[in-house]
Amino acid sequence: MAGGRLGGIAAFCVLLAFATIEILAAFFFLIDRGRLPYGGQGEDGGIQVQALQVADAVFQPYVGYVLRPGRVGDYLDDYEWQANNRGYHNLLTDDGSACCDYPYAPRDDEVIVGVFGGSVGSGYALSAQISGGLDGLSSIPRHRGKTIRVLNFALPGYKQPQQLMVLAYYLNLGQHFDYVVHIDGFNEAVTTFRNWEGDVEPTFPADTLWGAWGRQLDQRETPKGRFAALARYHSLAAQADRQSAATQRVATLKLFLEARAGWHGWRASANSKSDGAAEIERAGYFPTQMASPLPEQSDIWEYTVDVWARASADMASLSARYGATYIHILQPNQWDRATGEYVPISPEHPYEWVIEPVNSVYPKMREAASRSVMADVAFLDLSEIFTPATSPLTAREAYVDDCCHYTQIGNELIFAATVDALRDMDAATAR
């Protein structure tokens, strides 16, 4: 009896201590941030670029990188995907299988739709596989009675000219496409800018992914690399803790994560400034720095759109040569001011920096559709499809996070516009 009473008292004291700490932590956020950490909702569900760590991806000599074959991951709340033999992910079905190894040889009764782009593109493909979102293509007379097969060739972080390289590579391997659906815009704007800002060749794959992984391999070749490697580890750990803290609703844990992120940030800074780290040159197997810096008078925004437009034109030309219909979709993004003011899901989102490149590049992309270089490109501008004045969806219903990714119903709206555009293109060709 006495033991039970003591146990109860001890449990009460532990709970009281935790409650006291939680109250103090909550008051800290109220005083420091002007609000308590309990409201709002966290970001969830998309395929995030941050999820691509070295253990999950491998280098690919022609397109930069792919997922590690066999890797399994989550999509939205209720679905999983698996990376195939070539490192591209498709939906896992209820029986635990995922289509398909590439190159995929279609049956006579199948219509093949290849989807290209970045993480928004891969989300588009997975959502189409979930709902049959592009099945409306079977109403086109020449496709009646056939199955619409959607294959994903998009990956988080991809930007032009990576999509061009992916298409050229798989066409060369013999992959058949009836349709090539290319959805992009955001990564071209923000990643090209971030590369250029860091003195990295703007047309290279994302330096925060491909370049960072390569430098990690280079640094393992020399003892001098240990400081830079430690700095990179602490930097990634700090980023992970900040992201976890942003979605944490328990004040005590939120404060702990922010404190640990601060410590990792301090260690990253200390290691990067050490004498040993200073001796690491940005060279080796992965020389990602600009080999030929752009002229001082160059406009990085114009340069971005020039590369993007030429790459799309080349994809259209390649598709036509191999008998496929090509369509290029400009993806909507919530930070595009043309769509109105966006209220973030998370007040502590890390995407403030993308506003400048998005609003510097998107207007030029919309204008580029009339350039002669894109004369043979079927360009579908859906950048304003979620605009509040005309969209049946609110931003909360359309976007799954504060970056750029869409909910299932958001993608469904884009599927409907895609199918309508491809039907019209087919009808115009048939006349």
Side-chain angles (χ1 to χ4, degrees), residues 185-338:
F186 177 78
N187 286 353
E188 284 68 25
V190 302
T191 305
T192 303
F193 171 68
R194 176 161 275 189
N195 276 10
W196 173 79
E197 192 177 42
D199 289 330
V200 173
E201 167 57 47
T203 59
F204 277 5
D207 189 59
T208 52
L209 299 173
W210 181 81
W213 300 333
R215 287 191 292 276
Q216 286 186 52
L217 292 179
D218 281 341
Q219 290 157 9
R220 290 172 186 172
E221 298 295 317
T222 169
K224 297 177 183 177
R226 66 184 184 277
F227 294 104
L230 281 170
R232 176 67 178 162
Y233 161 74
H234 285 295
S235 177
L236 288 172
Q239 179 184 357
D241 280 343
R242 282 193 294 270
Q243 290 173 348
S244 297
T247 58
Q248 179 55 248
R249 300 307 171 209
V250 178
T252 306
L253 296 179
K254 188 180 188 76
L255 190 60
F256 168 76
L257 288 167
E258 290 194 356
R260 193 168 67 176
W263 180 81
H264 279 301
W266 170 70
R267 293 301 302 154
S269 177
N271 279 286
S272 65
K273 293 176 182 178
S274 70
D275 292 338
E279 295 176 25
I280 296 297
E281 296 182 358
R282 209 170 185 192
Y285 295 117
F286 290 83
T288 53
Q289 74 275 15
M290 272 197 212
S292 302
L294 301 178
E296 289 185 8
Q297 67 271 23
S298 295
D299 184 332
I300 186 59
W301 313 125
E302 287 287 355
Y303 180 78
T304 298
V305 177
D306 287 345
V307 171
W308 171 81
R310 285 193 296 268
S312 184
D314 289 340
M315 290 180 74
S317 177
L318 278 170
S319 299
R321 184 184 307 171
Y322 285 86
T325 299
Y326 174 78
I327 188 168
H328 184 178
I329 302 170
L330 180 58
Q331 69 187 77
N333 184 261
Q334 60 265 57
W335 300 109
D336 178 10
R337 293 193 183 100

Side-chain angles (χ1 to χ4, degrees), residues 29 32 53 59 61 75 83 99 102-103 114 135 151 156 176 192 209 222 232 246 264 305 342 396 399 413:
F29 285 107
D32 186 61
Q53 303 301 334
F59 291 111
Y75 180 62
C99 175
Y102 298 161
D135 285 356
L151 302 180
H176 170 79
T192 303
L209 299 173
T222 169
R232 176 67 178 162
H264 279 301
V305 177
Y342 173 69
R396 282 290 185 277
Y399 292 101
L413 203 61

Side-chain angles (χ1 to χ4, degrees), residues 59-215:
F59 291 111
Q60 209 275 2
Y62 300 108
V63 303
Y65 58 87
V66 294
L67 297 177
R68 189 173 295 279
R71 180 190 167 195
V72 175
D74 296 325
Y75 180 62
L76 298 176
D77 293 324
D78 302 314
Y79 303 96
E80 288 187 314
W81 49 258
Q82 185 172 39
N84 65 10
N85 62 322
R86 301 282 182 170
Y88 292 93
H89 48 309
N90 290 291
L91 192 71
L92 270 172
T93 58
D94 292 337
D95 64 3
S97 63
C99 175
C100 305
D101 282 351
Y102 298 161
Y104 173 72
R107 302 190 308 266
D108 291 340
D109 65 344
E110 286 186 315
V111 175
I112 302 302
V113 181
V115 178
F116 295 77
S119 56
V120 164
S122 61
Y124 177 103
L126 292 172
S127 283
Q129 292 170 359
I130 289 170
S131 67
L134 299 179
D135 285 356
L137 294 174
S138 63
S139 67
I140 294 174
R142 63 192 176 100
H143 298 325
R144 284 196 181 127
K146 293 186 176 182
T147 299
I148 307 302
R149 171 81 70 182
V150 176
L151 302 180
N152 177 42
F153 290 85
L155 275 185
Y158 272 14
K159 68 175 187 64
Q160 288 287 27
Q162 279 174 288
Q163 296 94 290
L164 169 60
M165 303 303 179
V166 174
L167 177 62
Y169 181 62
Y170 283 98
L171 286 173
N172 183 261
L173 293 185
Q175 177 63 59
H176 170 79
F177 297 105
D178 293 289
Y179 295 96
V180 172
V181 177
H182 176 212
I183 179 167
D184 72 351
F186 177 78
N187 286 353
E188 284 68 25
V190 302
T191 305
T192 303
F193 171 68
R194 176 161 275 189
N195 276 10
W196 173 79
E197 192 177 42
D199 289 330
V200 173
E201 167 57 47
T203 59
F204 277 5
D207 189 59
T208 52
L209 299 173
W210 181 81
W213 300 333
R215 287 191 292 276

Side-chain angles (χ1 to χ4, degrees), residues 27-43:
F27 271 113
F28 168 81
F29 285 107
L30 182 62
I31 295 169
D32 186 61
R33 312 283 168 83
R35 59 184 177 79
L36 293 171
Y38 304 113
Q41 73 184 93
E43 298 184 14

